[in-house]
Each structure stands twice: as C-alpha cells, then as structure tokens.
Amino acid sequence: MKLRATQAILECLLEQGVDTVFGYPGGTILNIYDELYRYQDKIRHILTAHEQGASHAADGYARATGKVGVCFATSGPGATNLTTGIATAHMDSSPVVFLTCNVGESTLGKDAFQEVDITGIAMPITKATYLVRDPNEIPDVIREAFAVAAMGRPGPVLIDLLKNVTSLDTMIDYEYLPKEEHQFHGRLAELRKRVGWDLNTPAPNREDVEKLVELIARSERPMLICGGGVVRSRADREFATLAQRLDAPVAITVMGGGGFPGGHALTTGMLGMHGSRASNIGCDNCDLLIAVGCRFSDRVATDPKDFAKQAKIVHIDIDRAEIDKNVRTDHHIIGDAKQVLRMVNERIPQYDHSAWKQFVFSHRPGPEADDGQLTPRQIIQTIRRMAPGDSIVCTDVGQHQMWSIQHFHFDYPGQLITSGGFGTMGFGLGAAIGAKMGHPEKTVLLMTGDGCFRMNGQELATVSHYDIPVIVVIFNNHTLGMVHQWQNLLYEGRFSQTDLNFAPDFIKLADAYGIRGRRVATPAEMSAALREALDGGHAYVIECVIDTDETVRPMVSAGKPITEFLLE
C-alpha cells in the first residue's frame, strides 16, 4: 500500500514493538514529528531538556528492558549533542537506534544551516550508520538497523535521513512485515545471500567447550569473572549454575553487576582498580580463570602482563575482536554467553573447592566502625534496607559509582545501569528516566555526585513534566571526588580545579522544578528522607552531605598489578 514516507517510518517502529521514543525536535526532523502527532496513541514520546539527556534515556531504557532503545534528534547541533550518548552505548554494548534528519539533497555538502556529516562523525562509535537518500529504502533500512543493533554483541546504530526524503508529499510502498521475517526480506536477505551474514550468533564450537571441561577437571583453584556479556545475554541463571557446580569464587566487573547475585556466598565483589582484596588476590592466585563476557579493560587488568599470572586464562565472548586484545589467553570460546554456559553446564559434575574458597574469602574485609557521621556505606546500606529488593539503581560516574557497586548487591540483569567503558558524567539522570519508562512498576534510584549532577541536572524538567517518580540521591562532598582522591594520593595534595563548594543549592534547584527534596547529614535523617521519598510516589531529591576527603577503598594505581594496593 502507499503511505507517506514519515508514516512508513513510524509503522516500521511499530513492527519492532517500539512503544517509547526519547527525543528533541528541530527543523529538519519536523516532518517526522508532525507524523508522530498522529501516532501519539501508539508511540509515547518523551521530550527531554537536551539531546544528550534523550540519548542516555534511550540507553537506560534499553539496558533496563533488554529491548532496543530509540532516540530522535534533528540535524547539526541536535545530532552532535547525541555523540556522547552514542559513544556511551557503544562502549557498553547497549542496543539503541538513533534517528536523525539532515538538510535536503539540494543543499547537502554546501554548509547549509545546521548541516553536519553525522554519519561520518558517528561511524567509529556505532555498529553501523545509514544515510538515507531514497525514501523507498526506509522500510529495509529501519528493519536492518534494529537487527544490527540487537544481533551478536549489541550496540548503537544511527540512521540519518535527508529532509526531502521525509517530505509530507513523498509516498512510498509499504507492507507490514512481522519482525521474525525481517532477516529473510529486502536488504537483510541480500546481505545474507551475498556474504553469508546471519542475524543469529554462530553456535559455540563443541571442541572448544570440551577443552574447557578438561581444564576445569584439572583445576584445583578455579575462579570466575562475571562480565557485562552475562548481563547483555541475560545469562544470569546459566552463570549461577556454573559457579555453583564449579564451587568457585566469583569476581564481578562493573558492567557485570546483576549477572551474578552480589550477596551470594561465592561472590568476592568487584575486581580491578577498586576491586576487593578477595577478588584481586583470588585472581592473582587462581590456577584457572574463566572470564565470561569481560573485556579485560585497563580498570580490570591494570597490568595486563602480570594479570592472573599463575592461571590458565579462558575467555568466553561473543565478539572475536575482544580475544587477546588486552590480555593474552590460553583458551577461548566464541559465542553467546547463554549458549556457551548451557553447553558447559551439561558436561561438568559437581566440584568441591572448599580449601581454595577458604583462602580467597579469608581476605574479605571486616566490619567498619561507625562514628555517627553519614558515610557513603551507610547511605547505600540504608537504601538496601528500605527500598524494594528489585529496585533499579542508576549511577553517574566517580566515587559514588564505585561505592554503589561495592555496597549495593545487584541480583538480576538490568538492576544496575551505569556507564562503565566511557565513564560518562551526566549519564545517570537520563538513564534513570529511561529505566523508569521501561519499568514503571519498579522503584528507580539515581546515585550521583555533585559534580555529575551539575552536568545534566536540567533533566529534572523532564522528570517534573512527566511526573516520573525517580529518587535522586546526591553524594555531595563539594568536590570532584575521584579526581580529588587522585590529587591527594598521587599529586601531593595539589587540588587543582576540583573544588565545587559553591552554587547551586540542590534542594532549592529541585524546588524550582516542583520536586520535593531534603538535605541530610546523619543516618537518621537519611532514613527519614528516604521513607518520605518512597512513600510519596513522586520524584524526590536527597542531598547527602559527606566528608570531602571520603575515599574509595581499595585502590590500585593505574598500570600496577592488582595486588599492589595504594589504598585499603
């Protein structure tokens, strides 16, 4: 049937099951927004305060739900304002389709008003980019973009449409196509035929699996790393089965939070630069290290040559490019984590490594003394005690992020939403909006710092306008905390440009947006404020005043072995 090109765009989104879009309009994308007006009963649009906020919201929605997020923006600065969000999604393998519009064909390449080559800019930070010059390509491009975003190792895709392609008098042929048939139709079918391209991840090699089973049988000191691939694959049950059968300690990366229960008896905690003693020492002393969906980044393998030096290292990952990229491995299995783990679990018996576990867990820290002051640990423990157990926790980046991961036990994929690879300050509030839109039935909390919150705090306007009941917890130490910590330890206390002991007053700022809030400085005040926030049913801001010199402990210096603790 014949449809307007803009109508076909929205129909293709409906084919994908899209119900929510985050974005910000502008001149070149107005035709799509005009069509969206007619579809407002089918597709909910969340207007953010800034395009970056929209990009993080679409990302947060994707991470929380496991679906593909969708974000709209206009040309020029609208498109370039997405780039931080695109890179954030790319580094953490989050599936988001970004749809932008550009100037018309007649002015393309002539430095027209708000023209930018966004497909060229985004190419290094996406799985694919598309510049659509022919309106008849719209259905196949959109179908392919969603497939590419979700297939294999997930990631962001950008579609840029010329303005004339979306003109309101442009009609194209469109026929509804069920999502399950997309890979056998149009451009996808041509790609599969020409290069053998398949939307399905190839099955793991059985011989590779058998070799891992043999390595496990010979191991006396095995250790597991739960990485972000476990979360992306929703392979938490399969990973838990492996850990229990192997009876091995489990270290969890930042992106692996929720892939294995944080409070499980086998959990050693975070690994790497701010990893626990049990995780780092266990990794250093094991004879078999099985890393699932882990990139071995510089924050985990702080000294790649010294990393797990006594162990046979086995890497399970969906992306062949990650194998031996940072750490040289002894064996690897390419495949989806869920598929690989199922195959391994079918082949291994129940093991008992009690002596090894006793050694590793002997390095767990003892209880910390309370002196009546409000500490980061007390803030997070109060939240753990009072908030529903399935609450979603979003974070920004810095000390509060590390404290949250150290002290909050994440139990399922999508419960922790954080910027791991790109380390994006200002990510959290947009991500919390997206998570709440994806899971309106769950309590969503944002852990943020005073430095991070300044960056995209304007999204309180979005929270207020749509009455999105997220609880914002600001760890206010009046400084750029992580940088301050480094300056104190490594730069002899020269605190250059990290002092944030000036405006704004965050509670007054919240009030300006019509959002209630409270400043707290004691554990009792924290409990009272959180109870009010949880019972209120609306957004709430809690500003927690903490000591400027609070540190994240442990800490290993960049480039040093993970057992050389600078701070414990």
Side-chain angles (χ1 to χ4, degrees):
M1 67 178 123
K2 290 286 187 181
L3 292 182
R4 290 184 300 277
T6 51
Q7 188 176 1
I9 290 169
L10 299 186
E11 287 293 335
C12 285
L13 295 185
L14 291 175
E15 285 181 359
Q16 300 292 333
V18 173
D19 56 16
T20 305
V21 171
F22 305 89
Y24 203 97
T28 61
I29 201 171
L30 273 184
N31 292 337
I32 294 178
Y33 270 86
D34 183 66
E35 195 69 60
L36 189 62
Y37 183 86
R38 301 180 177 92
Y39 277 73
Q40 56 188 301
D41 60 332
K42 298 178 181 179
I43 297 177
R44 172 180 53 183
H45 181 277
I46 302 299
L47 174 65
T48 56
H50 191 281
E51 289 91 353
Q52 185 179 342
S55 70
H56 295 324
D59 188 355
Y61 178 93
R63 298 188 198 214
T65 63
K67 302 177 183 177
V68 177
V70 182
C71 181
F72 285 179
T74 195
S75 64
T80 58
N81 281 343
L82 297 177
T83 54
T84 297
I86 296 172
T88 302
H90 179 67
M91 286 289 282
D92 291 344
S93 304
S94 183
V96 183
V97 170
F98 294 90
L99 193 149
T100 59
C101 286
N102 216 320
V103 299
E105 184 80 53
S106 62
T107 55
L108 189 68
K110 298 181 180 179
D111 293 333
F113 178 69
Q114 291 192 335
E115 178 187 357
V116 73
D117 178 13
I118 190 59
T119 54
I121 291 171
M123 191 174 297
I125 52 173
T126 54
K127 289 186 72 177
T129 61
Y130 301 88
L131 177 60
V132 181
R133 308 174 83 135
D134 180 355
N136 294 299
E137 292 186 350
I138 286 172
D140 282 345
V141 166
I142 292 178
R143 290 161 183 161
E144 182 177 325
F146 273 82
V148 171
M151 65 176 284
R153 179 179 182 173
V157 174
L158 182 133
I159 304 171
D160 193 34
L161 302 102
L162 300 189
K163 174 117 186 227
N164 53 284
V165 167
T166 66
S167 65
L168 297 180
D169 57 357
T170 298
M171 307 294 289
I172 67 169
D173 289 319
Y174 166 82
E175 295 296 334
Y176 169 77
L177 193 66
K179 186 177 177 180
E180 58 271 16
E181 296 181 21
H182 288 176
Q183 61 176 301
F184 305 107
H185 177 80
R187 290 166 56 107
L188 298 181
E190 292 174 12
L191 279 170
R192 293 177 76 250
K193 184 177 180 180
R194 186 170 70 250
V195 297
W197 188 72
D198 199 336
L199 294 182
N200 300 311
T201 303
N205 184 287
R206 291 187 177 274
E207 292 182 2
D208 291 339
V209 173
E210 292 297 343
K211 183 176 179 180
L212 173 56
V213 172
E214 293 173 6
L215 290 170
I216 290 173
R218 294 198 295 267
S219 171
E220 296 180 353
R221 305 187 310 277
M223 183 137 186
L224 292 167
I225 298 178
C226 177
V230 177
V231 173
R232 292 290 172 267
S233 182
R234 298 306 197 250
D236 48 311
R237 291 184 179 180
E238 291 77 8
F239 188 93
T241 298
L242 175 63
Q244 290 160 5
R245 288 191 183 172
L246 193 52
D247 194 36
V250 177
I252 305 174
T253 69
V254 168
M255 296 311 302
F260 187 72
H264 195 283
L266 292 173
T267 300
T268 59
M270 188 163 52
L271 173 69
M273 178 174 285
H274 294 294
S276 69
R277 281 184 58 85
S279 291
N280 289 10
I281 290 176
C283 186
D284 195 56
N285 285 273
C286 66
D287 64 4
L288 177 65
L289 181 66
I290 305 172
V292 185
C294 165
R295 297 187 297 114
F296 293 114
S297 76
D298 59 312
R299 287 302 189 261
V300 169
T302 52
D303 180 1
K305 293 180 180 179
D306 189 73
F307 186 75
K309 56 185 178 292
Q310 300 185 48
K312 295 285 187 182
I313 300 177
V314 179
H315 192 178
I316 299 171
D317 206 280
I318 200 169
D319 187 354
R320 185 177 294 276
E322 290 296 338
I323 305 300
D324 295 331
K325 184 174 80 174
N326 295 323
V327 170
R328 179 65 60 179
T329 60
D330 297 281
H331 181 55
H332 63 263
I333 304 175
I334 306 299
D336 175 77
K338 186 186 287 284
Q339 291 181 325
V340 174
L341 294 176
R342 281 177 177 171
M343 293 174 69
V344 174
N345 290 337
E346 290 171 356
R347 290 162 169 79
I348 61 171
Q350 180 64 52
Y351 288 92
D352 181 354
H353 293 111
S354 299
W356 164 238
K357 288 191 303 179
Q358 184 177 2
F359 167 78
V360 173
F361 292 125
S362 69
H363 296 282
R364 279 176 167 166
E368 295 183 21
D370 290 336
D371 59 5
Q373 292 186 339
L374 187 63
T375 66
R377 180 176 58 85
Q378 289 171 333
I379 295 168
I380 295 162
Q381 287 182 344
T382 299
I383 294 170
R384 278 181 54 199
R385 184 178 70 252
M386 296 179 61
D390 66 347
S391 297
I392 294 174
V393 174
C394 303
T395 83
D396 271 302
V397 172
Q399 287 181 315
H400 69 272
Q401 177 190 35
M402 296 296 101
W403 290 323
S404 298
I405 295 168
Q406 288 175 338
H407 301 303
F408 198 104
H409 295 165
F410 302 99
D411 294 327
Y412 65 88
Q415 185 175 23
L416 169 64
I417 298 176
T418 191
S419 172
F422 208 50
T424 306
M425 294 177 68
F427 166 79
L429 186 52
I433 291 169
K436 187 64 179 179
M437 291 295 97
H439 283 291
E441 78 285 2
K442 292 186 177 180
T443 297
V444 175
L445 300 112
L446 166 63
M447 309 289 203
T448 185
D450 48 328
C452 288
F453 194 68
R454 293 165 185 261
M455 292 196 169
N456 279 323
Q458 72 273 4
E459 294 304 335
L460 286 180
T462 310
V463 170
S464 176
H465 175 68
Y466 294 100
D467 193 17
I468 304 171
V470 298
I471 299 173
V472 178
V473 181
I474 304 173
F475 291 69
N476 190 356
N477 54 7
H478 301 98
T479 187
L480 291 175
M482 191 63 84
V483 185
H484 177 95
Q485 178 171 329
W486 281 56
Q487 287 175 334
N488 190 33
L489 294 171
L490 304 175
Y491 293 87
E492 299 178 347
R494 294 186 293 274
F495 301 118
S496 177
Q497 305 305 314
T498 49
D499 182 9
L500 298 180
N501 194 20
F502 52 88
D505 180 319
F506 293 115
I507 304 306
K508 289 183 178 179
L509 180 64
D511 183 63
Y513 287 107
I515 296 172
R516 297 187 64 186
R518 186 188 292 192
R519 183 176 295 108
V520 301
T522 68
E525 291 175 347
M526 175 64 197
S527 296
L530 183 59
R531 174 50 55 205
E532 189 172 288
L534 291 167
D535 291 346
H538 301 281
Y540 199 98
V541 173
I542 304 174
E543 180 187 356
C544 302
V545 181
I546 61 175
D547 192 276
T548 299
D549 292 320
E550 280 282 2
T551 56
V552 178
R553 306 181 303 275
M555 177 180 173
V556 175
S557 293
K560 298 293 185 181
I562 58 172
T563 53
E564 290 188 15
F565 294 101
L566 177 66
L567 188 66
E568 293 194 65

